[in-house]
Structure formats: C-alpha cells, structure tokens
Amino acid sequence: MGTLSIVATPIGNLEDITLRALRTLKECDVVYAEDTRVIAKLLARYEIKKPLRRLDAATETEKAEEVVARLEAGEHVAYASDAGTPGISDPGQRLVARVREAVPEAKVEAIPGASALTAALSIAGLATGEFAFLGFLPHKKGRQTALRNIKESGIPIVLYESPHRILKLLEEVGALGIARVTIARELTKVHEEVLSGPPGELLEHFTANPDTVRGEFVVIVEP
Ligand code: SAM
C-alpha cells in the first residue's frame, strides 16, 4: 500500500519550506497540486523534477479516485495546495477523507509547515491560549449570523479575508462594537505588516493608504 504525504508549502517566501517537505517532494512518485504552475515554480527553485497533476477544489472528488488507485498500486503521492497547509481553507480535506475511507491501509502523513493562521497568531501579541478559526466568512447568506456569533464568542477569532472585502469587514466588526482587531498582511513577504487597533482606526488607516489595501490578509477579531 502506498503513502499520501500532505505537504505544507510557503505562504509567500519560498525559503519557508522544511527539509522534510523537500525530501518528500524529491522522493515521491507524483505531485498532485492545487495549481501545477504554482508548485512548478517551487520545485524549479529547489531543482526538483516530478510528474505534476492538478487536484483543485473543482476536481477534488474525481481526482481523489485517481490518488486512491495510485495508493493501491503502492505509489507515494504528495499533495500541495497553492500556499500553506492543505485543508486549511484549501483543498486537501476531501482527498484525505476519501483516501482514509477507500484505502485505510495506506499511510497518510502530514508534512507540517507554514500556515497564515499560525504565522499571524505567532506575531499578533495576543493571549492565544484559546482562539477559534473561521476561515473566510460567508459572503452573503449566514454572514450576519457568523458576525453575531463572533461578538458573543468571547475568544479571539481568526479570519481570512481578501483585499476586496477587508474594508467591508472592518465596517461590520466596528458596527458590532468590537474593541480591537489585528490585521496581519502579506506575511513573510516584502510588505509584511501587522496593525492593531479599534476597527474604526484601521479603516481610517486603510482609507488614507489605499496602496496597502492589497495582498493577503489575516484578521484577528477580539470580542
Ligand atoms: N492553506 C493556507 C494556509 O495554510 O494558510 C490558506 C489558503 S486560503 C485560500 C488563502 C488566504 O490565506 C488568503 O486569502 C489570506 O487570507 C490568507 N493568507 C495566505 N497567505 C497569506 C500571507 N502571506 N499573509 C497574510 N494572509 C495570508
């Protein structure tokens, strides 16, 4: 029976990859990836040549069957999403569930590494004994309920957000009466920035500096 390695990849800085991840990518028979162009760049940087196959959110169910067949044939399959840890607001979770169900004898191993979630928490300067991760909030249906639940949770809530909606999110959490929000932007990249304060102040900051309303954001809301 084969092995499925779930490999964490960098969230911006290509140096953020573990020695074990590189060894796994070198040793496996095939790399499945959310986007073969993204993984190809990483592999080129480390001079690794491997057959690449796409497995993204739209094809995860169908491609999981292909991976199952490979594991049954004794192959070593690696899976990587575009950035960070697969399965964390990324494809990978349905693949793992299907493999565990269809080939329970196969080894499924984590090759841990970067995630925007843990990177942001590690430099936010909050008490992180307890927190909840909600990923991306729903855009429409269920959004108001999710926001109300955040307010009532009493623990830090970590969210992912796109630049298109960051100002709207700050307005919404401001309207809930949330006292403090921390935003970690462009982690591990040249323009990495961490800002903390009342949502209204952060909104003013981004409105005055529209150049910084771009890139990738982790938002930590402290109800
Ligand atoms: N699997 C990834 C992980 O482990 O962090 C998350 C993938 S999710 C599709 C992408 C979101 O993660 C972005 O929209 C942003 O909210 C957050 N993110 C990813 N890279 C980031 C970075 N370098 N800085 C800040 N946030 C980041």
Side-chain angles (χ1 to χ4, degrees), residues 11-12 81 83-86 88-90 114-117 136 159-162 184-189 216-218:
I11 56 168
S81 59
T85 302
I88 305 298
S89 297
D90 257 350
S115 180
L117 161 67
F136 293 99
L159 303 172
Y160 285 164
E161 192 50 281
S162 75
R185 187 175 85 82
E186 294 291 78
L187 288 161
T188 77
K189 304 185 198 176
E216 303 194 274
F217 294 82
V218 178

Side-chain angles (χ1 to χ4, degrees), residues 1-5 29 66-77 98-109:
M1 224 20 103
T3 298
L4 172 63
S5 303
D29 295 301
E66 227 178 87
V67 173
V68 163
R70 286 180 183 273
L71 295 174
E72 281 170 341
E75 285 190 35
H76 182 183
V77 178
R98 179 62 189 143
V99 165
R100 287 198 178 284
E101 175 192 68
V103 264
E105 322 85 283
K107 183 173 172 191
V108 179
E109 64 178 14

Side-chain angles (χ1 to χ4, degrees), residues 1-222:
M1 224 20 103
T3 298
L4 172 63
S5 303
I6 301 295
V7 182
T9 55
I11 56 168
N13 185 327
L14 288 189
E15 290 181 359
D16 291 331
I17 179 120
T18 69
L19 296 174
R20 188 166 166 235
L22 291 175
R23 182 169 57 77
T24 301
L25 292 167
K26 265 189 206 129
E27 289 178 359
C28 67
D29 295 301
V30 58
V31 178
Y32 278 74
E34 183 179 6
D35 187 329
T36 50
R37 289 162 303 185
V38 174
I39 196 75
K41 265 193 209 152
L42 181 70
L43 296 183
R45 162 78 187 256
Y46 292 101
E47 297 176 355
I48 299 171
K49 288 204 176 81
K50 277 292 143 176
L52 302 178
R53 299 279 180 277
R54 190 176 179 111
L55 186 156
D56 58 15
T59 58
E60 189 165 3
T61 306
E62 159 204 340
K63 293 291 180 69
E65 299 310 320
E66 227 178 87
V67 173
V68 163
R70 286 180 183 273
L71 295 174
E72 281 170 341
E75 285 190 35
H76 182 183
V77 178
Y79 180 68
S81 59
D82 282 355
T85 302
I88 305 298
S89 297
D90 257 350
Q93 182 266 323
R94 277 182 290 158
L95 168 67
V96 169
R98 179 62 189 143
V99 165
R100 287 198 178 284
E101 175 192 68
V103 264
E105 322 85 283
K107 183 173 172 191
V108 179
E109 64 178 14
I111 311 292
S115 180
L117 161 67
T118 46
L121 280 171
S122 74
I123 55 169
L126 330 163
T128 47
E130 238 190 326
F131 66 87
F133 173 61
L134 298 189
F136 293 99
L137 287 183
H139 294 170
K140 293 197 176 106
K141 196 165 177 281
R143 189 173 178 92
Q144 290 314 314
T145 312
L147 285 164
R148 274 197 302 277
N149 290 343
I150 287 175
K151 186 175 180 192
E152 280 156 25
S153 69
I155 56 172
I157 304 288
V158 187
L159 303 172
Y160 285 164
E161 192 50 281
S162 75
H164 315 292
R165 291 194 190 81
I166 190 75
L167 300 182
K168 177 174 180 242
L169 179 66
L170 285 171
E171 274 169 24
E172 288 169 328
V173 294
L176 286 177
I178 301 282
R180 203 168 91 114
V181 169
T182 297
I183 291 189
R185 187 175 85 82
E186 294 291 78
L187 288 161
T188 77
K189 304 185 198 176
V190 179
H191 298 294
E192 174 172 316
E193 181 175 43
V194 177
L195 300 165
S196 265
E201 274 180 25
L202 295 182
L203 198 53
E204 271 173 36
H205 167 84
F206 284 118
T207 310
N209 300 279
D211 279 4
T212 62
V213 190
R214 61 166 68 138
E216 303 194 274
F217 294 82
V218 178
V219 180
I220 306 176
V221 179
E222 290 172 77

